[in-house]
Amino acid sequence: MRLVIAEDLFLLREGLVRLLEAHGFEIAAAVDSAPALLEALLEHKPDASVVDVRLPPSFTDDGLRAAIEARRQIPGLPVLVLSQYVEQLYARELLADQAGAVGYLLKDRVFNDDRFADAIRTVAAGGTVMDPEVVAKLMGRRARDEPITRLTAREREVLKLMAEGRSNSAIAQRLFISEKAVGKHSTSIFTKLDLAPSTDDNRRVLAVLAFLNS
Amino acid sequence: MGHAEGMYIGLLVVAGVALLAWRWRAVKSWAERVAWRPYREAGLLVGLLILAFCVVSLLTSNSPWAATVVVPVTVWLIFCTPQTVRRLAPVAMVVGGVVGVALTASRVSAPATYAGPGQGEWASAVAARYESWRAALLLESVVFLAVGCWLMWRARAQAATSVRRPRWGLLLPLAVAGVVLLVNQQEGHAAVTAAAALAGAALLIAILFPTVSADLAAVAVAALGLFSLIDVVTPPRGVAGAFAVTPGGTPQGPLYGAIDRPVVMLAAVECGAILALGAWLLPRTIGTHAKVLLGREADAELVGRVQQLTQTRAVAVDTAAAELRRVERDLHDGAQARLVALGMSLRAAERLIPTSPQAAIALVAEARDSSSKALTELRDLVRGMYPPVLADRGLADAVQALALDTPVRTETDIDLPGWLEQPVEAACYFAIAEALTNAVKHSGGRLVQIRIRHAGRPAPGVLRIEVTDNGTGGADPANGSGLLGVERRLATFDGILAVSSPVGGPTIIVMEIPCALSSRRTSSC
């Protein structure tokens, strides 16, 4: 699986390259600025990319903007965005095109390299991976009169894990229920959020988006 | 002449009210900038004089003219008296309105029964004037009564102190100008009338448009008083003219009689008072400015500004120092301690590797956990100092992100066509964050609305932020230091904070900060 990595700090960039190579990824390019990232993404069309939000030249959200721009030109280009902090606002912007294949994680999540590699694979396969902190913030909200409040506690749990990018079997394992039950819950979630029948992957993306927009 | 006079007054009142409402902000800032005290004291004097005259007139005759002053006197008294008396404003207005209506409706004696000197043609002219005056006064009194009732109704849930100063108290000069014009309508004196009217207009312009200095207003008041006084007291129609008699001893003056005497005397007293007010104001405006210009006296405005800046600078320095102390403490107790623990875990693991690798692995996992926690703490610290999304995107998006993270439904309506300076942006962000926290914690509301607008005028521009919640209200900025801190922080940028939170809600927090928008991102560092 070919990756493009964008990170401006040399040590972190080298660390990421080494870690991902150890997990069997092939690094097509490792760049240190937003313009170079956009160029690399358009040129290599990688299976997935790992992008730091804050990059030169302006050291604000250049990485995020470059990733969104690349996805505008190549719809559905898999991007996993890393950041020192997570904002729902940015998560919404990433998901706004509804094409999926998006991840948004805190940099600390790299510590758990197995989960991190899984996240990259999920994104590459068209899934969505949201940081547990984003999800926790969403769960922290209350008293909002939106479709999301129609979900039962169990369905919310399933949606939460779905947003974190876990597969049905992983969700089943985590909640100590059968995979069939997870499937039932997710169908119920899709119905309650008024999501039209389509491929399961796409509906998962839309469910997460509805969740974020709630 | 007929009802035309009443029309004039009605139109003047309506135009005056409209002008004042339109330029109210300017009027207020003008009133704050000039030394207001002389106006108030002199105004009180005028009010008391007229009131005394009014009472005497009411007690001694059946004259309707007393009614003409009931309304403006009440307004003037309310406008000029101290805060404690002003609490009774709505009640006084209702009483004044009722008295005005009653007087105009009942106490005006029918001109047909008039049997004094100068009957015939003159009597019918007086009758016509009666009618127009009655109409005007009735209108005035009814408006007054209505405003009084409205104020009482509005103030029902609030403390009496929150009654605002009636804006249209400023209309008295206009009313006086109207009276002067009316007195002059009878005949001649065109030049004096025009001068008085112009002086009145100049006064109003000076009040309404703050760019015109207070000096002009003072000159205008004095000129208006002087011209009017001369006009009122000189023959053939003034005080002297009113009592003129023929060489044979027969009363000849058109105003000789029980009815018009009070109004002429009233006009004379009013004009005298206006002149006195002008004379009082002159040394306090032109005199002070001249002294400042000549360098004999410090500019009071500048002195005040220096004091304010000294104060806000001290607050800013204190705030910055406290913030640094907090950061130091947080780093010391948080991330630093975690890093020490991490180092120790790693060292212990290093020793354990040859003897018991299982225990070493557990320690390494612990170290990893420790580094994760240190990162979390650092992240929270950074967010408290300068939120990353604010640094990345500016105020509009940062507030949007804040709204998304708020547990209560929060709607934003932000229109900022440019960038703010970063220190202002940070102050605004934390102010909004504080207001939101209060709304979530204390209001019990289910919806918070944030509205941000920037106006280009007055230069350099004003940023206006409104945070409204539909909770139970009753928020008091003096109670609990959160909003007080915000107010102090905004004061560093000459910003202000106002809270309206009646019991039962809603709570509205308005912040205004003078600042410019730039087309590019600017940084002060």
Side-chain angles (χ1 to χ4, degrees):
Chain A
M1 193 176 279
R2 287 162 56 253
L3 299 181
V4 165
I5 293 174
E7 164 63 61
D8 57 320
L9 296 174
F10 174 76
L11 279 177
L12 281 179
R13 187 169 64 242
E14 291 307 300
L16 272 175
V17 168
R18 214 169 312 143
L19 181 120
L20 291 172
E21 277 177 346
H23 275 85
F25 293 102
E26 180 196 332
I27 310 301
V31 297
D32 64 356
S33 77
L37 166 66
L38 186 58
E39 206 175 295
L41 286 175
L42 296 180
E43 188 194 323
H44 296 291
K45 297 189 182 62
D47 298 316
S49 49
V50 178
V51 175
D52 184 14
V53 166
R54 193 168 280 193
L55 283 180
S58 80
F59 290 101
T60 60
D61 57 345
D62 301 46
L64 180 76
R65 284 170 198 268
I68 290 174
E69 172 58 26
R71 280 168 64 86
R72 201 181 57 77
Q73 297 191 24
I74 309 174
L77 184 73
V79 173
L80 175 68
V81 174
L82 286 183
S83 177
Q84 289 286 13
Y85 57 95
V86 285
E87 288 290 345
Q88 290 182 52
L89 187 74
Y90 292 179
R92 281 165 77 153
E93 287 177 8
L94 274 168
L95 283 163
D97 59 8
Q98 307 195 354
V102 163
Y104 185 38
L105 291 177
L106 274 176
K107 274 192 180 165
D108 329 5
R109 309 298 173 206
V110 179
F111 292 175
N112 192 337
D113 52 349
D114 292 331
R115 284 280 317 274
F116 183 56
D118 280 348
I120 295 179
R121 290 196 187 94
T122 307
V123 170
T128 38
V129 180
M130 286 295 121
D131 194 273
E133 193 169 306
V134 175
V135 178
K137 272 186 190 168
L138 286 169
M139 287 293 171
R141 297 202 226 161
R142 58 188 153 77
R144 295 199 165 195
D145 319 315
E146 273 120 9
I148 215 85
T149 53
R150 283 183 238 149
L151 302 186
T152 64
R154 177 63 79 166
E155 283 162 1
R156 283 165 73 91
E157 260 177 288
V158 171
L159 181 57
K160 174 174 168 258
L161 293 170
M162 209 186 270
E164 286 175 14
R166 293 179 200 255
S167 65
N168 275 3
S169 59
I171 295 173
Q173 214 174 2
R174 179 81 174 240
L175 297 179
F176 305 109
I177 53 177
S178 70
E179 242 184 281
K180 215 174 128 197
V182 175
K184 243 168 70 186
H185 283 309
S186 36
T187 314
S188 164
I189 293 170
F190 298 151
T191 317
K192 284 186 181 173
L193 297 182
D194 303 323
L195 300 178
S198 72
T199 64
D200 192 50
D201 270 354
N202 188 34
R203 283 208 289 184
R204 278 168 161 259
V205 172
L206 293 177
V208 174
L209 190 62
F211 185 31
L212 277 169
N213 282 335
S214 66
Chain B
M1 236 166 294
H3 292 275
E5 288 160 358
M7 292 279 292
Y8 290 150
I9 299 179
L11 282 177
L12 277 173
V13 170
V14 169
V17 169
L19 257 176
L20 281 169
W22 174 49
R23 300 287 301 176
W24 175 238
R25 204 178 281 246
V27 173
K28 211 168 102 181
S29 76
W30 178 85
E32 277 160 8
R33 275 190 300 113
V34 290
W36 189 243
R37 280 175 56 83
Y39 283 95
R40 184 177 288 177
E41 284 157 13
L44 195 60
L45 193 71
V46 175
L48 286 173
L49 275 173
I50 299 175
L51 192 65
F53 176 81
C54 201
V55 170
V56 171
S57 176
L58 273 174
L59 290 176
T60 55
S61 74
N62 196 26
S63 167
W65 301 112
T68 67
V69 290
V70 167
V71 173
V73 162
T74 317
V75 175
W76 200 237
L77 277 175
I78 291 163
F79 187 57
C80 298
T81 47
Q83 185 74 36
T84 41
V85 182
R86 214 178 301 134
R87 287 182 189 187
L88 299 169
V91 183
M93 289 176 84
V94 170
V95 173
V98 170
V99 170
V101 170
L103 281 176
T104 43
S106 70
R107 288 205 67 178
V108 178
S109 52
T113 64
Y114 174 71
Q119 289 171 11
E121 203 178 304
W122 177 71
S124 58
V126 168
R129 283 183 61 190
Y130 262 138
E131 287 310 309
S132 58
W133 270 107
R134 266 176 79 165
L137 291 175
L138 200 59
L139 176 75
E140 208 180 7
S141 304
V142 167
V143 168
F144 200 63
L145 184 62
V147 173
C149 289
W150 176 70
L151 273 180
M152 279 179 86
W153 179 78
R154 225 182 57 132
R156 73 200 188 287
Q158 300 176 11
T161 44
S162 65
V163 175
R164 284 196 305 180
R165 205 185 275 186
R167 301 172 181 186
W168 33 289
L170 280 169
L171 276 176
L172 189 63
L174 197 75
V176 173
V179 169
V180 173
L181 276 173
L182 271 174
V183 170
N184 281 310
Q185 280 290 324
Q186 277 197 330
E187 64 201 48
H189 285 258
V192 180
T193 307
L198 281 177
L203 168 69
L204 268 174
I205 289 168
I207 293 174
L208 292 174
F209 297 93
T211 42
V212 183
S213 78
D215 300 359
L216 186 55
V219 174
V221 171
L224 174 67
L226 190 62
F227 278 124
S228 316
L229 199 60
I230 291 170
D231 188 43
V232 169
V233 298
T234 50
R237 293 172 315 95
V239 174
F243 300 103
V245 289
T246 58
T250 321
Q252 183 209 36
L255 298 179
Y256 187 85
I259 298 158
D260 265 0
R261 201 165 33 201
V263 80
V264 177
M265 282 166 68
L266 169 64
V269 170
E270 272 193 41
C271 296
I274 298 265
L275 178 60
L277 174 62
W280 175 289
L281 278 174
L282 281 175
R284 282 165 177 76
T285 50
I286 293 182
T288 322
H289 288 158
K291 274 189 203 160
V292 172
L293 275 178
L294 292 171
R296 296 220 180 120
E297 209 170 83
D299 189 330
E301 223 170 278
L302 283 180
V303 170
R305 181 77 181 138
V306 168
Q307 272 172 356
Q308 188 207 358
L309 286 178
T310 313
Q311 216 168 38
T312 52
R313 187 183 61 173
V315 169
V317 170
D318 282 354
T319 314
E323 189 80 340
L324 279 178
R325 274 199 301 278
R326 184 181 68 80
V327 168
E328 190 273 335
R329 214 170 35 236
D330 282 3
L331 280 175
H332 181 268
D333 300 347
Q336 264 179 340
R338 297 243 181 249
L339 286 174
V340 171
L342 192 139
M344 291 193 323
S345 300
L346 285 176
R347 174 70 190 128
E350 204 179 351
R351 279 166 188 250
L352 282 171
I353 287 171
T355 54
S356 72
Q358 278 308 317
I361 287 173
L363 275 173
V364 169
E366 199 178 282
R368 198 176 61 183
D369 195 42
S370 205
S371 78
S372 236
K373 281 183 179 145
L375 272 174
T376 307
E377 278 163 13
L378 282 175
R379 201 155 40 229
D380 290 345
L381 190 64
V382 166
R383 219 182 265 278
M385 283 160 65
Y386 201 94
V389 65
L390 184 63
D392 289 356
R393 296 283 186 87
L395 187 64
D397 276 6
V399 170
Q400 214 121 36
L402 201 58
L404 284 174
D405 285 349
T406 306
V408 175
R409 196 152 72 91
T410 307
E411 288 173 0
T412 54
D413 173 15
I414 304 172
D415 186 11
L416 284 179
W419 296 93
L420 294 163
E421 273 187 37
Q422 283 186 358
V424 176
E425 212 165 54
C428 294
Y429 177 87
F430 286 111
I432 295 170
E434 182 66 37
L436 264 181
T437 310
N438 283 346
V440 171
K441 270 196 194 157
H442 307 302
S443 82
R446 293 171 61 85
L447 174 68
V448 184
Q449 285 164 309
I450 303 173
R451 189 170 185 277
I452 304 181
R453 287 285 184 280
H454 186 272
R457 284 192 327 148
V462 180
L463 183 74
R464 187 179 163 90
I465 303 169
E466 290 170 21
V467 182
T468 311
D469 70 59
N470 64 355
T472 51
D476 182 7
N479 191 4
S481 62
L483 285 176
L484 223 57
V486 168
E487 196 173 10
R488 276 211 293 271
R489 202 165 168 169
L490 291 181
T492 312
F493 303 95
D494 290 328
I496 50 166
L497 176 138
V499 180
S500 155
S501 184
V503 173
T507 300
I508 305 171
I509 296 175
V510 181
M511 294 167 261
E512 283 192 350
I513 301 105
C515 60
L517 282 186
S518 60
S519 52
R520 274 185 329 107
R521 196 86 208 257
T522 52
S523 166
S524 58
C525 35

